[in-house]
Amino acid sequence: MSPTCTSSVTEAVERAIAALDLDRLEREYWDQNEFLYIPEFLPRDFVEATLAQQAQMLKSGLNRNYIPGHKKGGSVGYYAVMEKAPQFIDLYRSDAFRAMLNRLTKVNLLLCPDNDPHSCALYYYTEAGDHIGYHYDTSYYKGARYTILMGLLDQSKQCRLVCDLFKDVPGKQPVHRELATAPGDLVIFNGDKLWHAVTPLGEQEERIVLTMEYVTNPDMGAFKRLYSNLKDSFAYFGLRSVFKRAYAPRSQS
C-alpha cells in the first residue's frame, strides 16, 4: 500500500472523529447499556472507494461455513487481512480511533494478540439465507472484549443487524433495534452485554461488514485459547487459517 493510501485512511478517521459530539455519544453509549450506533462515521463515498474495494478483492479467499440453526456465511480472518488489505489494519491500529473508543467506553482498550484471527476480520453475506443467530460476543480473555462493526457494502433489504438492548438486565425492559449498517456506519458495544443477530440475506443480495475486536486484558488461558480457536475454525475461518498462526507471539499493545 502506498503512503498516500495510508495517509488517506488515517486522515479520514481523524476528520471523522473531529466532527463528532463525543460528549453526546458517550452519554448514548452508557444510556444504552454499552451500545452505540454512529451512522456515517466515515463518508460513504470514501468507504466504497477504498475499504469496500479491498473487501471485494479478498472475497475469493473467504471461508464459507454452515452451522444448522445458528450460522451461514463467509469470513476472512485477521491473517489474510493483515497480508492483503492493510487499510483495515491502519484503521484498527489507529491511535485516534482507539482514543475515541477509550473515551466512549471509559476503559483502556488494547489490540488483540496477533494470534487472534478475530482481531480484524471481514464477514461476507453473499448467498441467500446467510445469517447469524442470536448470541453474545463472549470474551474468553481475562478482560472484557469490545466489538466494533463497520458497514462496507449493504445491497440488501432483508439482512439486518438486530439487537436487544438490556437483555437480562434486572428492572430494564429490552429494547429492540434493527440496523442496516450502510457503508461507513459504525457500531460499538461491549461483547458480553449485547444480545444480537443478523437476519437472513435475501435472493440476489449482498452485505459485507468489517469487525474489529479490542480487549482490556490480552491474556487468555491455554484451554480457553484452544476452545476459542476451535470455535473460530468451525464457525468462521477454517482450521488451516486459524491454526497456522495460532501460537504465534503476541503483539505488544
Side-chain angles (χ1 to χ4, degrees):
M1 181 178 60
S2 68
T4 301
C5 190
T6 303
S7 176
S8 69
V9 174
T10 302
E11 290 177 358
V13 170
E14 292 174 351
R15 286 195 299 269
I17 294 170
L20 296 176
D21 182 347
L22 291 176
D23 289 335
R24 177 182 62 81
L25 294 176
E26 181 182 334
R27 289 193 299 271
E28 288 184 11
Y29 175 82
W30 288 98
D31 288 345
Q32 298 178 131
N33 194 32
E34 295 198 66
F35 167 86
L36 183 65
Y37 168 60
I38 306 177
E40 298 182 85
F41 170 72
L42 289 181
R44 180 168 185 152
D45 57 352
F46 172 81
V47 173
E48 291 177 336
T50 56
L51 301 179
Q53 285 193 11
Q54 286 291 297
Q56 293 286 12
M57 290 173 58
L58 288 175
K59 189 191 296 184
S60 61
L62 66 84
N63 180 74
R64 287 198 59 85
N65 45 72
Y66 175 51
I67 301 176
H70 177 62
K71 183 181 185 296
K72 177 176 176 287
S75 309
V76 170
Y78 171 69
Y79 311 138
V81 171
M82 181 171 56
E83 293 170 359
K84 300 178 181 179
Q87 287 99 327
F88 295 117
I89 305 302
D90 291 331
L91 171 60
Y92 174 59
R93 295 178 177 173
S94 164
D95 290 337
F97 189 61
R98 190 155 42 140
M100 178 196 74
L101 297 175
N102 289 349
R103 162 79 179 274
L104 297 174
T105 62
K106 300 182 182 179
V107 293
N108 182 32
L109 296 180
L110 305 175
L111 304 178
C112 290
D114 279 340
N115 59 4
D116 186 338
H118 248 118
S119 300
C120 182
L122 296 163
Y123 295 162
Y124 294 80
Y125 305 82
T126 57
E127 297 182 0
D130 282 357
H131 70 284
I132 301 179
Y134 269 104
H135 65 286
Y136 291 105
D137 284 357
T138 303
S139 177
Y140 299 108
Y141 288 95
K142 293 182 179 179
R145 167 185 168 181
Y146 290 75
T147 298
I148 288 79
L149 303 175
M150 179 179 287
L152 301 178
L153 176 70
D154 182 27
Q155 296 176 347
S156 172
K157 295 182 179 179
Q158 299 186 40
C159 193
R160 296 289 183 263
L161 173 67
V162 292
C163 313
D164 288 347
L165 312 184
F166 306 107
K167 179 177 169 58
D168 299 325
V169 176
K172 297 290 290 187
Q173 185 70 25
V175 176
H176 186 72
R177 297 283 302 275
E178 296 191 6
L179 304 173
T181 58
D185 289 0
L186 196 69
V187 180
I188 303 165
F189 59 91
N190 183 327
D192 288 320
K193 293 189 175 182
L194 185 69
W195 185 243
H196 61 287
V198 176
T199 55
L201 190 76
E203 294 284 350
Q204 305 299 315
E205 294 185 343
E206 185 174 4
R207 179 175 179 264
I208 306 175
V209 176
L210 170 69
T211 176
M212 296 173 283
E213 178 182 309
Y214 299 87
V215 293
T216 58
N217 183 338
D219 292 334
M220 184 185 295
F223 177 78
K224 287 190 175 180
R225 171 55 69 192
L226 176 60
Y227 180 84
S228 179
N229 284 335
L230 288 172
K231 176 182 66 68
D232 284 342
S233 297
F234 289 104
Y236 292 95
F237 310 116
L239 281 165
R240 183 177 180 182
S241 176
V242 170
F243 281 95
K244 73 175 182 178
R245 295 189 188 176
Y247 300 101
R250 281 193 335 206
S251 65
Q252 298 297 317
S253 303

